[in-house]
Amino acid sequence: MEEKCGVVGISLEEGDAALPTYYAMYALQHRGQEGAGIVTHDGFQQHSEKGLGLVAEVFDDDDVEHLPGRASIGHLRYPTAGEIDERSCHPYTVTSKRGSLALAHNGTLVNTDEVRAEFEERGHTFSTNSDTEVMVHELASNLVEDGLLDAIKRTMKRIRGAYSLTLMHDDRVVGVRDPLGVRPLCIGKLDDGYILASESVAIDVLDGELVRDVRPGEVVVLDEDGGGFESHRLFDEVPAHCFFEYVYFSRPDSTIDDRLVYDARREMGRLLYENHGVETDIVSPVPDSGRAFASGYAEAGDLEYSEALMKNRYVGRTFIMPTQDARETAVRLKLNTMDSNIEGKSVTLIDDSIVRGTTSRQLVKLLRESGASEVHFRVGSPPIVAPCYLGIDMASRDELMASDKDVDEIRDEIGADSLEYLNVDDISEALDMPRGEMCTGCVTGSYPVDVEGETCERTKDGSRAGAD
Ligand code: AMP
């Protein structure tokens, strides 16, 4: 299974696209730290470099210099607790008599097991267990009969799930966003070309200009000379945007659908105060993810914003630690208290989400040990009750604290004086996005796609107009 990742695609008028791709990937590092890869095309052939680790670890100057071509795509892979090996780093590449293909994927596909079984039946072999590899095979085999656009359309009809893709057919760079628009993807204009990227921060880092988001069901083909792009809206369905992109995953300085993520989080913080405000001496975020929420909350309540915790910025995400013990140690490694800001004070601690509850439980305990007189916890998302099948590593159901506990039980479990969450309507209000246009699977247990053993919230004819 592929998890939450970052993708980039660049087409330039002249010069090599590898270096700007590398910078753009740097800006998207938060979307994946397990591995990184860049594939370029110089008009004759593909060049590729990938490896495990952070962008800065995978590539050195030499590597980037040895990736010639005006066309390039890049990928960052999100860490998972499962097996890690270099073969499963993107972009995936295949070469056939229809040319060379490279594909970078963000999201998770839900029906690739069936598609893979059919390929295997016909004698195809796969080198990884990745869903993306199945998609590359599907696209390559559709290219035998169709031109690029029709082959993509057929692939989009066949493969379901969440996918924001950048792909390269020979030296043509293409962006594809699934019909539900689950994961973000945007288009930017550079001085000397165009870029497709998961988030607008990748455009900012190149001093480019955000043109717009790729629409759900849209295929964007960048001109080979970097002069522009063509748009093909192949599907027009009711979207199911992942609200968790706004709550946690995307960088706060990214703009998605004309909304600065930081502002969306502040608005959620404001609603948290409006609906569940409590007067305490200080309001403190869980850094870094709770910062914007806490600032919106404190401002709404005219309360003192003060940081009770500091983060060691050299520690990676605790979420991926494989055992509970390791996770608990990691929270301590990552966050420390500033006692003189806490002693004798009542504190409202604000985080974006509670997943397993490891972080919140530890932090409440730490604050009490530092002398807090009261610790109230406020959460900028609804309780996470179910897994994500569409691209976020969210733990399995039995690991999720809210899957079998109500809010009072969770409050007792984490040891807080009070605990409150936002609900789905608050999120919809804060994002100014109708409830029916968001994917809320992880907080409702009802998904916009068919997943075996889960409830699907959409009827077969739930889509609006069909493909044109
Ligand atoms: P937990 O300790 O398991 O309850 O995780 C909650 C913490 O992890 C919060 O501080 C969140 O900001 C962060 N978090 C939430 N979702 C994810 C995710 N998918 N990957 C990594 N960290 C996450």
Side-chain angles (χ1 to χ4, degrees), residues 48-318:
S48 154
E49 185 68 48
K50 25 186 183 168
L52 297 175
L54 302 174
V55 175
E57 294 162 349
V58 174
F59 305 99
D60 58 27
D61 300 0
D62 227 30
D63 294 328
V64 176
E65 257 172 41
H66 288 99
L67 289 169
R70 292 186 300 179
S72 167
I73 64 170
H75 185 265
L76 296 144
R77 189 180 151 98
Y78 185 76
T80 58
E83 251 180 82
I84 300 172
D85 77 65
E86 224 165 279
R87 274 177 315 162
S88 40
C89 288
H90 297 213
Y92 279 88
T93 53
V94 287
T95 303
S96 72
K97 59 180 183 199
R98 298 283 176 218
S100 61
L101 262 185
L103 189 136
H105 170 211
N106 167 209
T108 305
L109 309 173
V110 293
N111 67 333
T112 40
D113 284 354
E114 300 148 48
V115 179
R116 184 188 178 106
E118 280 174 33
F119 272 116
E120 283 172 342
E121 216 32 51
R122 285 188 269 139
H124 281 251
T125 53
F126 291 85
S127 59
T128 67
N129 59 6
S130 150
D131 55 353
T132 308
E133 196 183 357
V134 179
M135 194 173 215
V136 180
H137 277 251
E138 174 70 25
L139 184 58
S141 70
N142 289 338
L143 268 173
V144 174
E145 285 162 39
D146 290 326
L148 181 62
L149 205 59
D150 285 331
I152 292 174
K153 186 169 179 176
R154 277 221 274 158
T155 307
M156 291 172 81
K157 279 194 172 153
R158 178 102 167 90
I159 293 202
R160 283 181 287 110
Y163 52 89
S164 280
L165 311 173
T166 51
L167 65 90
M168 208 165 46
H169 180 224
D170 292 333
D171 56 354
R172 183 164 291 233
V173 176
V174 181
V176 180
R177 199 169 175 205
D178 65 67
L180 299 174
V182 180
R183 300 283 144 230
L185 188 66
C186 59
I187 315 168
K189 168 138 184 43
L190 306 176
D191 261 358
D192 53 350
Y194 278 83
I195 175 172
L196 294 154
S198 294
E199 290 178 42
S200 63
V201 285
I203 302 167
D204 296 340
V205 87
L206 298 173
D207 279 333
E209 210 180 289
L210 173 64
V211 175
R212 63 171 171 83
D213 290 84
V214 175
R215 299 189 179 101
E218 185 185 14
V219 175
V220 172
V221 185
L222 303 189
D223 294 348
E224 282 137 315
D225 64 1
F229 63 88
E230 267 172 37
S231 152
H232 305 270
R233 186 91 190 261
L234 301 183
F235 298 85
D236 183 8
E237 298 180 9
V238 179
H241 300 300
C242 168
F243 80 92
F244 214 69
E245 285 284 347
Y246 293 93
V247 166
Y248 175 75
F249 228 91
S250 293
R251 257 174 61 164
D253 47 338
S254 278
T255 298
I256 310 178
D257 278 331
D258 292 330
R259 224 166 280 121
L260 183 69
V261 172
Y262 185 81
D263 290 347
R265 289 183 191 167
R266 270 181 47 89
E267 179 59 14
M268 292 180 208
R270 192 188 65 73
L271 285 174
L272 255 180
Y273 181 80
E274 214 168 75
N275 300 339
H276 307 290
V278 51
E279 311 291 312
T280 50
D281 296 328
I282 62 165
V283 175
S284 170
V286 175
D288 297 315
S289 50
R291 237 177 225 136
F293 296 87
S295 106
Y297 182 100
E299 189 184 78
D302 202 13
L303 297 168
E304 184 184 338
Y305 174 96
S306 166
E307 306 221 4
L309 299 159
M310 204 36 74
K311 182 171 170 182
N312 175 348
R313 70 176 63 162
Y314 298 100
V315 178
R317 287 189 164 147
T318 58

Side-chain angles (χ1 to χ4, degrees), residues 78 244 248-249 286 289 317 319 351-360 392-394:
Y78 185 76
F244 214 69
Y248 175 75
F249 228 91
V286 175
S289 50
R317 287 189 164 147
F319 199 82
D351 205 356
D352 66 287
S353 57
I354 295 180
V355 184
R356 295 181 174 86
T358 319
T359 310
S360 37
I392 293 191
D393 180 12
M394 200 66 111

